[in-house]
Amino acid sequence: MPIIHSLLDTDLYKFTMWQAMLHRHPQTQAEYRFACRNATAYPLALLEDEVNAELDHLCSLRFTKDELDYLAGLRYIKSDFVDFLRLFQFQRNFVQVRATPEGGLSIEAHGPQVHVMGFEIHVLAIVNELYFRRLQTPDTLDEGRHRLQAKIEQLHALKYEPILAHPFELSDFGMRRRFSEPWHREVVTTLTAKVPQWFKGTSSVLLAKELGIVPIGTMAHEYLQSFQSLGVRLRDFQKAALEDWVQEYRGDLGIALTDTVGMHAFLQDFDLYFAKLFDGLRHDSGDPFDWGEQALAHYRKLRINPHTKRLVFSDGLNLEKALELWRYFAPHIQLGFGIGTNLTNDVGLTPLNIVMKLVRANGQPVAKISDTPGKTMCDDETYLAYLRQVFGIADPII
């Protein structure tokens, strides 16, 4: 059976960014590139033929009426976007896969952004599942179920802790690096059934639809990075991206991502106007405690009561770290925790650290300068140096 059998089997923020770009910048051309950041148990090049076959199948899929009806029922999804999706089909000639001489995989998607931006999550899920099929043993999922039950017991233990100002709320953000589609489904189904008071949703649109839970997501780095190429002054690209988001969603989907060029540079642009309009902020790199303290200080400086805002943590979390952050910040501000790999690929095997990032738009490089060294993905050092200069960011220490 193919790995991807529904075009809803992707993260919600793919649809929300997709709609915004279709409405406001449909002419944008984009290039996305795959990378593996860690060592692998065997060469990913061995997956070349299977990845190509899976992409052939992906490009045969269309949205069904039932799927379109579900999307149309989300109040922030507009009818003309649903009409676009009714006609949409991935184009196979926009994505290429080949083995590299070093034993890795080169996967690149080129074309109109509104036709290629959706490849990312599907490609990552395909590579992950093909890879772990080769490593799975008869005991692998038994170990995964044991670890999942331990997490459930940790959550049940919260009933005996002191009540804090804001509750612990956990969501699944594990679509892109899941062990497999069936295991992802089992994890989310189990958490929905056993700990509904703490488990609040999933980034997977398909699972949210099938299980009747909340789909969760707003924006990713690619959305903000795209604005580096859209004709605004580079120093103003974050403000332009946030303003377009506000105009597109007008109060919905109000969690802003902060680390495209680092938290410090983000807060310089996140003035009283945006701080009032957005519900909160999402952390995805750097020290989470330091980031949270900066966010609290910024809201207080603007005379905004932090209890009316939300911080969402999503950077490489496990449950222990999420609970530690909750105990620290819950007396001061609303919180959400999106756990990915450590929910959907915690089966005793070493996960792949794979990404597929936007690297060029409209013929020019774009980049993220993360608060965590090593997360930057850009092949143009001159552009990176210029971006750092524009935002007053020091060169990384080598």
Side-chain angles (χ1 to χ4, degrees):
M1 182 176 179
I3 291 170
I4 305 297
H5 54 84
S6 166
L7 293 182
L8 283 191
D9 193 16
T10 192
D11 285 334
L12 177 66
Y13 66 26
K14 277 295 170 181
F15 290 101
T16 57
M17 294 186 294
W18 199 354
Q19 176 174 271
M21 295 306 292
L22 179 69
H23 284 162
R24 299 178 181 279
H25 304 284
Q27 77 287 358
T28 303
Q29 297 287 312
E31 175 183 337
Y32 290 78
R33 188 175 304 159
F34 171 89
C36 181
R37 293 169 170 165
N38 64 341
T40 61
Y42 64 88
L44 293 182
L46 297 177
L47 304 177
E48 179 186 8
D49 291 343
E50 292 170 89
V51 172
N52 272 309
E54 292 287 346
L55 288 174
D56 289 343
H57 176 75
L58 174 69
C59 292
S60 74
L61 296 176
R62 301 286 290 269
F63 287 98
T64 67
K65 181 180 184 303
D66 183 53
E67 292 168 343
L68 293 168
D69 288 346
Y70 174 77
L71 290 171
L74 302 175
R75 72 179 188 184
Y76 43 82
I77 297 296
K78 297 179 172 62
S79 61
D80 68 311
F81 181 47
V82 175
D83 291 337
F84 170 83
L85 295 178
R86 198 181 314 278
L87 303 173
F88 177 79
Q89 189 168 6
F90 281 113
Q91 301 301 302
R92 188 63 176 86
N93 62 316
F94 287 158
V95 63
Q96 295 82 39
V97 181
R98 61 177 177 81
T100 68
E102 299 77 26
L105 272 180
S106 168
I107 307 176
E108 295 186 356
H110 304 253
Q113 189 169 28
V114 295
H115 285 275
V116 300
M117 64 190 299
F119 276 116
E120 176 198 0
I121 306 300
H122 297 306
V123 165
L124 298 178
I126 285 167
V127 172
N128 260 303
E129 188 154 347
L130 292 174
Y131 176 82
F132 285 106
R133 282 178 183 175
R134 286 165 162 77
L135 299 182
Q136 183 173 354
T137 70
D139 299 329
T140 300
L141 291 187
D142 289 338
E143 176 63 21
R145 292 182 183 108
H146 172 74
R147 294 181 180 212
L148 181 59
Q149 182 57 37
K151 294 179 179 71
I152 289 168
E153 291 170 4
Q154 277 184 279
L155 290 170
H156 280 302
L158 292 178
K159 291 184 289 189
Y160 307 106
E161 292 203 14
I163 295 174
L164 300 179
H166 299 289
F168 182 78
E169 296 184 351
L170 168 67
S171 298
D172 154 49
F173 280 15
M175 168 82 205
R176 65 184 52 224
R177 293 179 186 151
R178 65 191 184 188
F179 175 77
S180 69
E181 190 274 338
W183 177 242
H184 186 198
R185 182 179 300 273
E186 181 174 337
V187 168
V188 176
T189 301
T190 301
L191 292 172
T192 300
K194 294 193 173 182
V195 286
Q197 62 270 58
W198 297 290
F199 185 69
K200 296 302 179 181
T202 175
S203 66
S204 166
V205 183
L206 182 63
L207 290 179
K209 172 183 178 292
E210 293 182 354
L211 298 174
I213 58 178
V214 178
I216 293 178
T218 55
M219 66 181 73
H221 299 99
E222 66 182 287
Y223 172 74
L224 288 108
Q225 285 175 250
S226 296
F227 282 77
Q228 296 172 14
S229 75
L230 293 180
V232 299
R233 193 175 68 136
L234 185 59
R235 180 62 187 82
D236 296 329
F237 87 86
Q238 293 187 116
K239 288 186 279 191
L242 294 175
E243 181 64 32
D244 267 16
W245 195 267
V246 166
Q247 295 304 321
E248 179 69 24
Y249 291 110
R250 306 191 68 81
D252 270 320
L253 305 173
I255 301 296
L257 182 61
T258 66
D259 69 329
T260 305
V261 284
M263 181 63 159
H264 178 71
F266 177 84
L267 292 180
Q268 289 181 320
D269 291 339
F270 198 67
D271 59 13
L272 182 62
Y273 171 75
F274 288 126
K276 284 190 172 184
L277 290 175
F278 279 86
D279 298 323
L281 305 172
R282 178 162 76 91
H283 171 264
D284 200 50
S285 66
D287 180 83
F289 291 97
D290 178 61
W291 177 89
E293 289 288 2
Q294 289 184 66
L296 286 173
H298 190 69
Y299 281 128
R300 289 166 178 154
K301 177 183 174 183
L302 296 175
R303 299 182 183 177
I304 292 175
N305 182 353
H307 288 285
T308 67
K309 298 297 178 179
R310 177 178 294 268
L311 301 183
V312 177
F313 294 86
S314 64
D315 179 32
L317 291 179
N318 56 32
L319 186 55
E320 290 77 13
K321 178 62 106 179
L323 289 170
E324 185 182 1
L325 287 162
W326 170 68
R327 294 181 183 108
Y328 186 87
F329 287 111
H332 310 291
I333 194 166
Q334 300 172 47
L335 298 166
F337 298 92
I339 301 183
T341 307
N342 288 302
L343 267 187
T344 63
N345 207 337
D346 188 12
V347 296
L349 301 173
T350 301
L352 291 177
N353 187 355
I354 55 175
V355 296
M356 190 167 179
K357 295 294 188 183
L358 178 68
V359 293
R360 300 183 72 83
N362 293 325
Q364 71 175 63
V366 297
K368 174 182 76 168
I369 302 177
S370 170
D371 286 318
T372 297
K375 279 195 169 186
T376 298
M377 190 169 175
C378 179
D379 58 6
D380 190 316
E381 290 298 327
T382 301
Y383 176 72
L384 270 177
Y386 176 54
L387 189 60
R388 290 190 180 100
Q389 180 183 12
V390 166
F391 284 92
I393 301 169
D395 289 339
I397 299 174
I398 305 299

